[in-house]
Structures are given as C-alpha cells and as structure tokens.
Amino acid sequence: MITHTISVAYNEVSDISELEEEDRELLKEAWEASESAYAPYSKFHVGAAVRLANTMTFRGNNQENGAYPSGICAERVAVFSASAMYPGVPITTIAVVAKTEVFKLSNPVTPCGACRQVISEYEMLSGQPIRILLQGNSGKIWILNGIENLLPLMFHGGELKK
Ligand code: THU
C-alpha cells in the first residue's frame, strides 16, 4: 500500500489594509451583498463577489427558502450570475464574507462542498487558478490561490468523457 499525502495552503492577513486595492474593493462588494441576503431561517448572512478577467464584478448572497434545500448559497448566486452574463470569461477572484446576527464568527467562513465543486468547474474551464478571499466578522482574511486548496482530489467533469 502507498500513502499519498496532499497539502493545502492559505495565507492570512489580520486586516483589510494589508490587501491590494482590487481585493479590498471585492471584499467591500461582498459585504454590501451580504446586507441584502435573504436568510430569515439561519440568520447567517453570506455575501460573495466575483471578479472576471474582463474586470466586471458580480455579486451574490444566500437565498433561503421555507423548503430548506431549495435555497442556494451566496457563492453560487455570484458565480452563476457571472457565467450567465459572460460565459467563458475567466473568474480571477471570488470574495466570500459572512456574519451572523446570533454570534461572532472567530474565523472566516469557508464555502460549502457544493460551492467548492461549482467553483472548480469554472477554474477548470479557464485553466487559471481562482483566488479565493474569505472573511468573517473577526476581521482576519484568508487568501487561497486555487480551488485545489479547498477541494483536493476534486471530481473533474472531463472524467465523464472518453
Ligand atoms: N451559506 C452560504 O451562502 N455559503 C456558504 O459557504 C455556507 C453557507 C448559506 C446557506 C444558508 O443560507 C446559510 O448560509 C446557512 O447554512
């Protein structure tokens, strides 16, 4: 038997001032999007903002539903909206932020499994790593360079073809 080991990496900064202007702007857009999240059930407000290679940005927030599984996460709203408007234009960065009315999050929120899979699809399509910026309401920011740092051994749609 052989053991294969995979490592993931992320950077952390303690304050938004340590980021480049473009990243600060994208996080700001994500926070603005979180303000209009429809999250009456979880009270967990998530905002996302996507930057495309053509410099356009798209926002999303979580949209819940009384039939719980029918709701959708902020990341997928933003990514699908970008792809709907600009199909095939690479996503360079996605910022995801979250806050809850109930308690303070000590760490940035990390995307759920379904959102990781969706992000991986667009990264594969462009062949360029997507930068992922994550922030909660503690202030600190995590920065990941590529979805493989969130989803090692991911499933590739390419595996469906011969
Ligand atoms: N949620 C997101 O929007 N993104 C995530 O990465 C994690 C979870 C939403 C889904 C649901 O509306 C609420 O947060 C609680 O799970």
Short mmCIF file of all heavy atoms in Angstrom, two decimals, residues 11-24 27 131 133 135 139-141 143:
data_model
loop_
_atom_site.label_atom_id
_atom_site.label_comp_id
_atom_site.label_asym_id
_atom_site.label_seq_id
_atom_site.Cartn_x
_atom_site.Cartn_y
_atom_site.Cartn_z
N ASN A 11 -3.07 31.83 2.97
CA ASN A 11 -2.41 32.94 3.64
C ASN A 11 -3.42 33.63 4.52
O ASN A 11 -4.62 33.63 4.22
CB ASN A 11 -1.87 33.94 2.61
CG ASN A 11 -0.81 33.30 1.75
OD1 ASN A 11 0.08 32.62 2.25
ND2 ASN A 11 -0.90 33.50 0.45
N GLU A 12 -2.94 34.25 5.57
CA GLU A 12 -3.84 35.00 6.46
C GLU A 12 -3.29 36.40 6.66
O GLU A 12 -2.09 36.57 6.87
CB GLU A 12 -3.92 34.28 7.82
CG GLU A 12 -4.83 34.98 8.80
CD GLU A 12 -4.99 34.20 10.11
OE1 GLU A 12 -5.23 32.99 10.06
OE2 GLU A 12 -4.84 34.84 11.16
N VAL A 13 -4.17 37.39 6.56
CA VAL A 13 -3.78 38.75 6.95
C VAL A 13 -4.76 39.19 8.03
O VAL A 13 -5.92 38.74 8.05
CB VAL A 13 -3.76 39.75 5.76
CG1 VAL A 13 -2.71 39.38 4.73
CG2 VAL A 13 -5.12 39.89 5.12
N SER A 14 -4.30 40.03 8.93
CA SER A 14 -5.16 40.37 10.06
C SER A 14 -6.09 41.54 9.76
O SER A 14 -7.06 41.76 10.46
CB SER A 14 -4.34 40.65 11.31
OG SER A 14 -3.41 41.64 11.00
N ASP A 15 -5.79 42.26 8.67
CA ASP A 15 -6.60 43.44 8.39
C ASP A 15 -6.66 43.70 6.89
O ASP A 15 -5.69 43.46 6.16
CB ASP A 15 -6.00 44.65 9.11
CG ASP A 15 -6.94 45.83 9.06
OD1 ASP A 15 -7.89 45.86 9.85
OD2 ASP A 15 -6.74 46.71 8.19
N ILE A 16 -7.78 44.25 6.46
CA ILE A 16 -8.02 44.51 5.04
C ILE A 16 -6.98 45.48 4.44
O ILE A 16 -6.69 45.44 3.25
CB ILE A 16 -9.47 45.03 4.85
CG1 ILE A 16 -9.90 44.94 3.40
CG2 ILE A 16 -9.67 46.43 5.42
CD1 ILE A 16 -11.38 44.98 3.18
N SER A 17 -6.39 46.32 5.30
CA SER A 17 -5.40 47.30 4.81
C SER A 17 -4.17 46.61 4.23
O SER A 17 -3.40 47.23 3.50
CB SER A 17 -5.01 48.25 5.94
OG SER A 17 -4.40 47.51 6.97
N GLU A 18 -3.97 45.34 4.55
CA GLU A 18 -2.81 44.61 4.04
C GLU A 18 -3.03 44.10 2.61
O GLU A 18 -2.14 43.49 2.03
CB GLU A 18 -2.47 43.44 4.96
CG GLU A 18 -2.01 43.87 6.34
CD GLU A 18 -1.81 42.69 7.28
OE1 GLU A 18 -0.96 41.84 6.98
OE2 GLU A 18 -2.53 42.63 8.29
N LEU A 19 -4.24 44.32 2.09
CA LEU A 19 -4.55 43.80 0.74
C LEU A 19 -4.40 44.88 -0.33
O LEU A 19 -4.44 46.07 -0.04
CB LEU A 19 -6.00 43.30 0.70
CG LEU A 19 -6.36 42.15 1.62
CD1 LEU A 19 -7.84 41.81 1.45
CD2 LEU A 19 -5.49 40.93 1.36
N GLU A 20 -4.27 44.42 -1.58
CA GLU A 20 -4.27 45.34 -2.72
C GLU A 20 -5.67 45.95 -2.87
O GLU A 20 -6.67 45.32 -2.50
CB GLU A 20 -3.97 44.56 -4.02
CG GLU A 20 -2.66 43.82 -4.05
CD GLU A 20 -1.48 44.75 -4.28
OE1 GLU A 20 -1.69 45.81 -4.91
OE2 GLU A 20 -0.39 44.41 -3.82
N GLU A 21 -5.69 47.12 -3.48
CA GLU A 21 -6.94 47.86 -3.70
C GLU A 21 -8.06 47.00 -4.33
O GLU A 21 -9.21 47.01 -3.88
CB GLU A 21 -6.60 49.08 -4.58
CG GLU A 21 -7.78 49.86 -5.11
CD GLU A 21 -8.40 50.76 -4.04
OE1 GLU A 21 -7.72 51.04 -3.05
OE2 GLU A 21 -9.57 51.14 -4.24
N GLU A 22 -7.70 46.23 -5.38
CA GLU A 22 -8.71 45.41 -6.09
C GLU A 22 -9.36 44.40 -5.16
O GLU A 22 -10.56 44.15 -5.25
CB GLU A 22 -8.04 44.63 -7.23
CG GLU A 22 -7.93 45.37 -8.52
CD GLU A 22 -7.84 44.44 -9.72
OE1 GLU A 22 -7.53 43.24 -9.56
OE2 GLU A 22 -8.08 44.94 -10.84
N ASP A 23 -8.56 43.82 -4.28
CA ASP A 23 -9.10 42.81 -3.34
C ASP A 23 -9.96 43.49 -2.27
O ASP A 23 -10.99 42.96 -1.86
CB ASP A 23 -7.97 42.01 -2.69
CG ASP A 23 -7.31 41.06 -3.68
OD1 ASP A 23 -7.89 40.84 -4.77
OD2 ASP A 23 -6.22 40.54 -3.36
N ARG A 24 -9.51 44.65 -1.84
CA ARG A 24 -10.31 45.40 -0.84
C ARG A 24 -11.68 45.73 -1.41
O ARG A 24 -12.70 45.59 -0.75
CB ARG A 24 -9.60 46.69 -0.42
CG ARG A 24 -8.37 46.49 0.42
CD ARG A 24 -8.06 47.74 1.25
NE ARG A 24 -7.78 48.91 0.44
CZ ARG A 24 -6.57 49.28 0.04
NH1 ARG A 24 -5.51 48.58 0.40
NH2 ARG A 24 -6.39 50.36 -0.68
N LEU A 27 -13.92 42.61 -1.60
CA LEU A 27 -14.46 42.26 -0.27
C LEU A 27 -15.58 43.24 0.12
O LEU A 27 -16.59 42.84 0.69
CB LEU A 27 -13.35 42.27 0.78
CG LEU A 27 -12.52 40.98 0.84
CD1 LEU A 27 -11.22 41.20 1.59
CD2 LEU A 27 -13.30 39.83 1.48
N ARG A 131 -8.45 32.91 -7.32
CA ARG A 131 -8.07 33.34 -5.97
C ARG A 131 -9.34 33.44 -5.13
O ARG A 131 -10.38 33.90 -5.61
CB ARG A 131 -7.34 34.68 -5.99
CG ARG A 131 -5.98 34.57 -6.66
CD ARG A 131 -5.28 35.90 -6.81
NE ARG A 131 -5.02 36.53 -5.53
CZ ARG A 131 -5.63 37.60 -5.08
NH1 ARG A 131 -6.55 38.22 -5.82
NH2 ARG A 131 -5.33 38.11 -3.91
N LEU A 133 -10.90 34.82 -1.52
CA LEU A 133 -10.71 35.67 -0.34
C LEU A 133 -11.86 35.38 0.62
O LEU A 133 -13.02 35.45 0.21
CB LEU A 133 -10.75 37.15 -0.71
CG LEU A 133 -9.90 37.61 -1.90
CD1 LEU A 133 -10.20 39.07 -2.23
CD2 LEU A 133 -8.43 37.45 -1.58
N GLN A 135 -13.62 36.15 4.52
CA GLN A 135 -13.59 36.99 5.73
C GLN A 135 -14.87 36.79 6.54
O GLN A 135 -15.97 36.71 5.98
CB GLN A 135 -13.45 38.47 5.34
CG GLN A 135 -13.16 39.37 6.53
CD GLN A 135 -12.98 40.83 6.14
OE1 GLN A 135 -13.59 41.30 5.20
NE2 GLN A 135 -12.14 41.53 6.89
N GLY A 139 -12.56 40.07 11.25
CA GLY A 139 -11.62 40.97 10.57
C GLY A 139 -10.59 40.23 9.75
O GLY A 139 -10.30 40.63 8.64
N LYS A 140 -10.03 39.13 10.30
CA LYS A 140 -8.94 38.49 9.55
C LYS A 140 -9.42 37.90 8.24
O LYS A 140 -10.59 37.55 8.09
CB LYS A 140 -8.24 37.44 10.41
CG LYS A 140 -8.98 36.16 10.63
CD LYS A 140 -8.15 35.23 11.51
CE LYS A 140 -9.06 34.25 12.20
NZ LYS A 140 -8.47 33.56 13.31
N ILE A 141 -8.49 37.81 7.30
CA ILE A 141 -8.82 37.38 5.94
C ILE A 141 -7.93 36.20 5.57
O ILE A 141 -6.72 36.24 5.82
CB ILE A 141 -8.61 38.55 4.96
CG1 ILE A 141 -9.58 39.68 5.30
CG2 ILE A 141 -8.81 38.11 3.51
CD1 ILE A 141 -9.09 41.04 4.94
N ILE A 143 -6.62 33.91 2.34
CA ILE A 143 -6.44 34.01 0.89
C ILE A 143 -5.93 32.67 0.37
O ILE A 143 -4.89 32.18 0.84
CB ILE A 143 -5.43 35.13 0.55
CG1 ILE A 143 -5.88 36.44 1.20
CG2 ILE A 143 -5.25 35.29 -0.96
CD1 ILE A 143 -4.72 37.34 1.60
#
